[in-house]
Amino acid sequence: MPSDPSPAAVALDSKVVLADWPGRARVRVVGPDRAKFLHNLTTNDVNRRSPGEGCEAFVTSLQGKTLGFVTLVILDDAILLRTEAEGLPPILPHLRKYGVLEEVELEDVTASTFELHLAGPLAGEVLAAVGVAVESVPGGSLDHVAAEVAGHPVRVVRERPIGGEGFTLIGAAEGAGAVRSALIAAGTALGLVELPGEAFEAFRIEAGTPASGRDVTEKNLPQELGRDDRAISFVKGCYLGQETVARLDALGHVNRLIRGLVIDAEAPPPGGSKLFAGEKEVGWIGSSAVSGRSGKVIALGFVRTSHTTPGSAVIVREESGSEASATVQGLPMGTG
């Protein structure tokens, strides 16, 4: 029998949660060529974005492989590139290599900034209580505004990495404690729950939000992530890797796709564990965790298209040789 939902799951679905978005990295891209530069090295149409907007994108290699999955926050004087810290090593040297040809500078501001995520049906009420009017944040994904919380400037970004209506607050590191305390004080009466990193990770997996370095690696092609409508422009001009992406679009399909998995196991399998149907290898695991909603082990994995139908049965085989049965699910996933 499934376990009762955790307090964190109840709060995300009906109240509000707050998390230090774990393991994040931020790079500030400045200079007159910043938009053109990122436009030429990612899958989305950066040139058409205005300050106050944002977009998802894949940083692609010359061969069209995914070096990383990023979000771009367009500011008046810079573009803030955000991804996972473990996914930054392939991205940053790649960008710096091509940056020498443009008037751009890349500054890793991870250590000097913070990123808090507020999510759930009452997230807007918490923001209003600290002086941020939700209606001031445009309704599009990754739209954002400048605001002030507890006397500290923040950038409030509308996004849903863990499924519920959400807002990410980004600011200078010295204000992190005060901003967090203000949000907690405002949310306590509304039932706010602070999320530990492992709970955030489980919700992220259920929502189907991929993480660079775990779910998105150089083994992937952009269309395998199932985010074509959000992260790939098929009508923009040439960019690095565009020929491969366009060829796949013309073919109409890829050989594997990201999917959710519910695994009959006591503990989450390590990333890289293989998926089998009989003796045929049909994919691999990226991220895994224990669901706060069902108590079951869940994962994001890449599955051959022959086994992507929800309900398909596969076997997870770890490097140690241990095995567990698993059921394929669509994204976002249910875990019942």
Side-chain angles (χ1 to χ4, degrees), residues 134-159:
V134 174
E135 58 269 20
S136 71
V137 187
S141 176
L142 294 169
D143 285 349
H144 52 92
V145 296
E148 185 175 289
V149 176
H152 294 274
V154 294
R155 178 67 47 174
V156 181
V157 183
R158 188 186 290 272
E159 58 185 336

Side-chain angles (χ1 to χ4, degrees), residues 12 17 117 119 160-164 195 199-201 203-204 207 209 293:
L12 176 59
V17 298
H117 187 68
R160 301 169 62 95
I162 58 175
L195 288 188
F200 188 99
E201 180 76 349
F203 293 137
R204 178 189 67 78
T209 304
R293 292 191 171 96

Side-chain angles (χ1 to χ4, degrees), residues 80-171:
L80 187 65
L81 180 151
R82 304 155 63 220
T83 190
E84 277 66 45
E86 65 195 272
L88 192 60
I91 296 173
L92 199 50
H94 175 78
L95 295 179
R96 284 180 169 151
K97 172 184 174 181
Y98 288 96
V100 299
L101 304 175
E102 308 285 355
E103 287 190 68
V104 295
E105 295 181 15
L106 292 90
E107 180 187 3
D108 186 346
V109 296
T110 304
S112 60
T113 55
F114 71 86
E115 197 162 336
L116 295 171
H117 187 68
L118 194 68
L122 304 183
E125 292 188 34
V126 175
L127 285 180
V130 297
V132 180
V134 174
E135 58 269 20
S136 71
V137 187
S141 176
L142 294 169
D143 285 349
H144 52 92
V145 296
E148 185 175 289
V149 176
H152 294 274
V154 294
R155 178 67 47 174
V156 181
V157 183
R158 188 186 290 272
E159 58 185 336
R160 301 169 62 95
I162 58 175
E165 179 180 13
F167 302 90
T168 300
L169 287 77
I170 305 168

Side-chain angles (χ1 to χ4, degrees), residues 21-24 69 84 86-87 161-162 197-217 219-220 225 257-263 267-275 283-291 296-303 316 318 326-327 329 331 333 335:
W21 193 335
R24 294 289 277 173
F69 172 61
E84 277 66 45
E86 65 195 272
I162 58 175
E198 59 269 21
F200 188 99
E201 180 76 349
F203 293 137
R204 178 189 67 78
I205 290 170
E206 288 176 346
T209 304
S212 280
R214 277 167 275 165
D215 307 305
V216 184
T217 72
K219 293 191 295 184
N220 297 118
L225 276 297
L257 289 167
I258 193 169
R259 286 292 185 265
L261 294 158
V262 176
I263 305 170
S273 298
K274 301 297 178 65
L275 301 175
W284 70 85
I285 295 287
S287 303
S288 61
V290 176
S291 169
K296 297 179 180 180
V297 174
I298 57 173
L300 290 177
F302 290 89
V303 187
V316 180
E318 299 183 17
T327 304
Q329 294 206 352
L331 294 172
M333 63 191 297
T335 56

Side-chain angles (χ1 to χ4, degrees), residues 28-32 34 51 73-80 105 155:
R28 188 176 170 88
V29 184
V30 299
R34 60 187 180 273
V73 176
I74 314 301
L75 306 171
D76 289 331
D77 58 349
I79 297 176
L80 187 65
E105 295 181 15
R155 178 67 47 174

